[in-house]
Amino acid sequence: AQSVAQPEDQVNVAEGNPLTVKCTYSVSGNPYLFWYVQYPNRGLQFLLKYITGDNLVKGSYGFEAEFNKSQTSFHLKKPSALVSDSALYFCAVRDLSGGYNKLIFGAGTRLAVHP
Amino acid sequence: DVKVTQSSRYLVKRTGEKVFLECVQDMDHENMFWYRQDPGLGLRLIYFSYDVKMKEKGDIPEGYSVSREKKERFSLILESASTNQTSMYLCASRSTGTQVERRRETQYFGPGTRLLVL
């Protein structure tokens, strides 16, 4: 079965420091991977995705993610964190089981960026 | 740009009431989804629809039903609300047509409805 794991409930980082939010996946076949962000009391906003091509994917708000097939990981990164990056981040993987194209989401990681 | 709207941001209902959550998208997307979001559990798929009048059960359909009479609208129905259905409900849509790379396979979400069942 397809699955995705976010091993950290919360990540704390100082403003200006690099940040990493971790995601690992388990899929059969080629993975389609996504990152979404949720600001307080808002819906999810799409950040970036990996479908094929370059392992380093660039997305919105200066975020990027690296697809690593050997480690089955798709960690979200940003070189210099902003306080406004504080939010809930979700990793997701495409699931084709049952013949339907759906997403499976991780439990989410809360990012707190401190001034 | 893609816009997905949900009828209510906050809703308070009593146990046993019938509850309707409405979702509308303006991009002519074929696929629409209903999720619930609970702390520590992420998003869980309740129901989805691949086209008008089509619906499929997701991972947690019990206690819910859906309706898709028009392409742009996907309704989630709680036939008899219970306290364990207190949650954040998120609607999403996705196109299956030929899309530019930046939109392919991407689900677009509404702002969510926070439902409290007393």
Side-chain angles (χ1 to χ4, degrees), chain B residues 25-31 68 71-72 94-96:
Chain B
Q25 49 94 4
D26 67 356
M27 282 298 292
D28 202 36
H29 284 174
E30 293 84 4
N31 302 166
R68 185 121 181 249
K71 193 174 187 179
E72 67 271 19
R94 179 185 65 207
S95 174
T96 58

Side-chain angles (χ1 to χ4, degrees), chain A residues 43-57:
Chain A
L44 270 68
Q45 294 181 31
F46 169 72
L47 270 182
L48 51 80
K49 65 186 176 189
Y50 172 83
I51 293 180
T52 187
D54 290 341
N55 290 343
L56 186 64
V57 180

Side-chain angles (χ1 to χ4, degrees), chain A residues 32 34 36 38 41-44 46 49 51-52 88 90 94 100-103 105-108, chain B residues 9-10 35 37 40 42-43 45 48 50 56 90 94 101-107 109-111:
Chain A
Y32 283 21
F34 302 79
Y36 283 84
Q38 185 180 38
N41 298 313
R42 305 286 291 277
L44 270 68
F46 169 72
K49 65 186 176 189
I51 293 180
T52 187
L88 190 55
F90 290 97
R94 186 182 71 168
Y100 295 104
N101 185 343
K102 310 183 298 294
L103 288 180
F105 285 85
Chain B
R9 293 299 302 275
Y10 301 95
Y35 297 90
Q37 179 184 359
L43 274 71
L45 183 63
F48 57 102
Y50 272 75
E56 294 292 335
L90 294 166
R94 179 185 65 207
E101 176 60 28
R102 65 184 174 85
R103 289 192 174 176
R104 193 155 59 101
E105 293 281 345
T106 302
Q107 289 188 21
F109 283 81

Side-chain angles (χ1 to χ4, degrees), chain A residues 91-115:
Chain A
C91 182
V93 64
R94 186 182 71 168
D95 174 25
L96 294 177
S97 61
Y100 295 104
N101 185 343
K102 310 183 298 294
L103 288 180
I104 295 176
F105 285 85
T109 298
R110 188 165 298 281
L111 173 66
V113 181
H114 305 285

Side-chain angles (χ1 to χ4, degrees), chain A:
Chain A
Q2 326 284 50
S3 66
V4 62
Q6 295 180 243
E8 302 154 317
D9 291 336
Q10 178 147 338
V11 170
N12 296 295
V13 64
E15 188 175 29
N17 283 1
L19 70 87
T20 299
V21 183
K22 296 180 179 177
C23 173
T24 58
Y25 65 89
S26 174
V27 301
S28 54
N30 295 322
Y32 283 21
L33 297 157
F34 302 79
W35 276 103
Y36 283 84
V37 61
Q38 185 180 38
Y39 297 103
N41 298 313
R42 305 286 291 277
L44 270 68
Q45 294 181 31
F46 169 72
L47 270 182
L48 51 80
K49 65 186 176 189
Y50 172 83
I51 293 180
T52 187
D54 290 341
N55 290 343
L56 186 64
V57 180
K58 294 190 182 296
S60 306
Y61 312 122
F63 284 93
E64 59 188 26
E66 185 170 12
F67 171 66
N68 188 317
K69 189 172 184 178
S70 63
Q71 296 185 6
T72 62
S73 67
F74 189 56
H75 300 332
L76 181 70
K77 300 182 180 184
K78 187 172 182 180
S80 178
L82 300 172
V83 173
S84 57
D85 292 329
S86 299
L88 190 55
Y89 290 80
F90 290 97
C91 182
V93 64
R94 186 182 71 168
D95 174 25
L96 294 177
S97 61
Y100 295 104
N101 185 343
K102 310 183 298 294
L103 288 180
I104 295 176
F105 285 85
T109 298
R110 188 165 298 281
L111 173 66
V113 181
H114 305 285

Side-chain angles (χ1 to χ4, degrees), chain B residues 2-60:
Chain B
V2 179
K3 189 170 183 182
V4 180
T5 57
Q6 295 182 229
S7 51
S8 305
R9 293 299 302 275
Y10 301 95
L11 212 51
V12 180
K13 295 293 181 181
R14 297 211 172 269
T15 301
E17 280 191 79
K18 190 168 186 176
V19 182
F20 292 86
L21 302 182
E22 303 284 340
C23 175
V24 177
Q25 49 94 4
D26 67 356
M27 282 298 292
D28 202 36
H29 284 174
E30 293 84 4
N31 302 166
M32 296 187 76
F33 305 83
W34 273 108
Y35 297 90
R36 63 176 284 175
Q37 179 184 359
D38 300 289
L41 297 177
L43 274 71
R44 294 179 291 167
L45 183 63
I46 304 171
Y47 266 96
F48 57 102
S49 169
Y50 272 75
D51 211 333
V52 177
K53 296 190 185 297
M54 295 176 68
K55 59 185 179 184
E56 294 292 335
K57 293 180 179 179
D59 300 317
I60 51 165

Side-chain angles (χ1 to χ4, degrees), chain B residues 42-102:
Chain B
L43 274 71
R44 294 179 291 167
L45 183 63
I46 304 171
Y47 266 96
F48 57 102
S49 169
Y50 272 75
D51 211 333
V52 177
K53 296 190 185 297
M54 295 176 68
K55 59 185 179 184
E56 294 292 335
K57 293 180 179 179
D59 300 317
I60 51 165
E62 296 79 17
Y64 303 94
S65 63
V66 290
S67 173
R68 185 121 181 249
E69 294 298 315
K70 294 185 177 182
K71 193 174 187 179
E72 67 271 19
R73 188 180 298 269
F74 191 35
S75 303
L76 180 69
I77 304 155
L78 288 65
E79 296 289 344
S80 177
S82 63
T83 55
N84 63 13
Q85 292 178 309
T86 291
S87 187
M88 174 73 139
Y89 290 87
L90 294 166
C91 174
S93 72
R94 179 185 65 207
S95 174
T96 58
T98 302
Q99 292 290 302
V100 298
E101 176 60 28
R102 65 184 174 85

